[in-house]
Amino acid sequence: MSGKLYIVSTPIGNLEDITMRALRILKEVDVIAAEDTRHTRQLLSHFDIHCPRLESCHAFNEHGKVDRLLDEVENGVNMALVSDAGTPSVADPGFLLVRSALEREIEPVVIPGVSAVTFAVTASGLPVDSFTFRNFAPVKPGKRQKFLESIVADERTSFFFESPFRIARTIAEIAAISPESRIAVIREATKLHEEIIRGSAAEVAAQNRQWKGEIVVGVGHPNKA
């Protein structure tokens, strides 16, 4: 009899955000496939969960592990996939495992929960009747310029992740393209130093501040936001 494959969302900061269903699944499964087993051990320890086995499954090894993990599921093993924080597949490992499972006619059971993206969508104060998520902004100047120009031109609000080491430059570049575009910078969501900065691109760029932590940027079209 085939086992179950669970795709489990975990907190992005505040551990109280984990769901009761997620806790139950993590207690019941035979194997937890984790982006970083050290990080997941800390989460499990906090909730006194003792999983029989932790297996690493991250961007650098998932291609070599997916088939073996799914073989185990087909042989009756109940398995949960978790990323370090948030929802697997959303800018985190998970897509390859889910796609391969579906090809084998294994229907993943998704355990929904917190995501930095949905937090930012709600907290931004920007129009989100229609929006896009663009993952991380490109690093190379040419691709980066085209990326930011496409975001500013898009009538939908766009969200993307950015490094604290590049965010000041990113905001300045958005301001140079469209100073009136409304933006929101969501920093350290659900954590102790959570902060949300809202305003026009020009206003936020003018703050000339130091940035730390994990960051999501929302950019609204100037004619809508």
Side-chain angles (χ1 to χ4, degrees), residues 124-189:
S124 69
L126 297 169
V128 289
D129 53 318
S130 179
F131 66 89
T132 63
F133 170 61
R134 305 288 193 99
N135 207 333
F136 279 91
V139 176
K140 293 183 178 179
K143 291 183 177 179
R144 185 182 186 81
Q145 182 73 14
K146 290 180 180 178
F147 174 86
L148 296 176
E149 287 175 350
S150 70
I151 281 177
V152 169
D154 197 334
E155 292 191 358
R156 300 166 295 181
T157 296
S158 297
F159 294 88
F160 61 94
F161 294 153
E162 185 54 287
S163 161
F165 305 107
R166 292 190 295 270
I167 183 63
R169 186 181 76 181
T170 298
I171 296 170
E173 289 170 341
I174 294 171
I177 297 167
S178 177
E180 297 306 314
S181 285
R182 306 299 297 180
I183 70 171
V185 181
I186 296 92
R187 188 180 74 84
E188 292 290 87

Side-chain angles (χ1 to χ4, degrees), residues 58-92:
H58 48 70
F60 301 103
N61 71 4
E62 60 180 342
H63 283 84
K65 284 199 170 185
V66 161
D67 285 339
R68 179 172 62 79
L69 293 175
L70 293 176
D71 285 345
E72 292 191 50
V73 174
E74 288 184 333
N75 289 325
V77 170
N78 291 317
M79 183 178 299
L81 173 72
V82 299
S83 56
D84 288 348
T87 301
S89 295
V90 182
D92 275 329

Side-chain angles (χ1 to χ4, degrees), residues 6-10 81-83 85-95 98 111:
Y6 299 94
I7 311 300
V8 182
S9 298
T10 56
L81 173 72
V82 299
S83 56
T87 301
S89 295
V90 182
D92 275 329
F95 164 72
V98 170
I111 312 300

